[in-house]
Amino acid sequence: MAKKETNNDQLIAHIIKGIEEVKGNDIDILDLREIENTVCDYFIICNGTSNTQVNAIVSSVQKTVSKSLKDKPWHIEGSDNAEWILMDYVNVVVHVFQKHIREYYDIEGLWGDAKVTSIETKY
């Protein structure tokens, strides 16, 4: 069964909406398309204040994307301890961190060549 193509822009918009529904913080989009040998086109990175909020963000993103685009992640990792959960939508990978874990791993620093777009939140 072939996976149906979902427009990256639509997918990103619905992922952001899902994050904002449960007040995810510090939302950044890293555009990796200009970098050689990357595993996907975009990283979306955000953080929550607790493992409960991290799980809520992941759940909200799943619900929002599933309801709007009838798409689901190819793979999810890290749900057990909810310090860093990775959601793989193939072309878009979502990283949901607890703040201290995000600061420790500094993905934005590791992918310093990526074009970063920060999303302004109104909460």
Side-chain angles (χ1 to χ4, degrees):
M1 187 170 130
K3 182 169 174 33
K4 84 176 166 83
E5 278 294 311
T6 303
N7 179 326
N8 282 347
D9 293 338
Q10 281 185 313
L11 179 58
I12 290 168
H14 289 288
I15 289 169
I16 300 296
K17 182 180 176 196
I19 293 168
E20 290 176 332
E21 292 274 320
V22 289
K23 297 187 175 12
N25 300 311
D26 305 321
I27 306 167
D28 288 332
I29 301 169
L30 276 62
D31 184 342
L32 307 172
R33 293 175 297 175
E34 301 293 319
I35 302 172
E36 284 186 39
N37 302 323
T38 56
V39 294
C40 63
D41 293 339
Y42 297 94
F43 280 166
I44 299 178
I45 305 170
C46 70
N47 53 266
T49 56
S50 66
N51 57 352
T52 304
Q53 187 183 20
V54 167
N55 279 322
I57 292 168
V58 169
S59 179
S60 177
V61 168
Q62 278 185 285
K63 254 186 258 171
T64 304
V65 170
S66 176
K67 196 167 149 184
S68 304
L69 302 176
K70 310 289 185 258
D71 197 3
K72 60 183 184 175
W74 176 71
H75 186 71
I76 295 179
E77 277 183 42
S79 300
D80 294 342
N81 66 7
E83 290 184 339
W84 174 5
I85 299 180
L86 180 142
M87 304 174 74
D88 187 348
Y89 282 95
V90 183
N91 290 330
V92 179
V93 174
V94 183
H95 298 270
V96 184
F97 288 97
Q98 286 189 38
K99 188 172 179 65
H100 67 285
I101 300 295
R102 180 177 181 174
E103 289 168 357
Y104 179 80
Y105 284 102
D106 186 28
I107 287 184
E108 293 93 335
L110 290 173
W111 293 92
D113 293 345
K115 181 178 164 234
V116 179
T117 305
S118 294
I119 305 298
E120 289 288 321
T121 52
K122 297 172 179 47
Y123 42 82

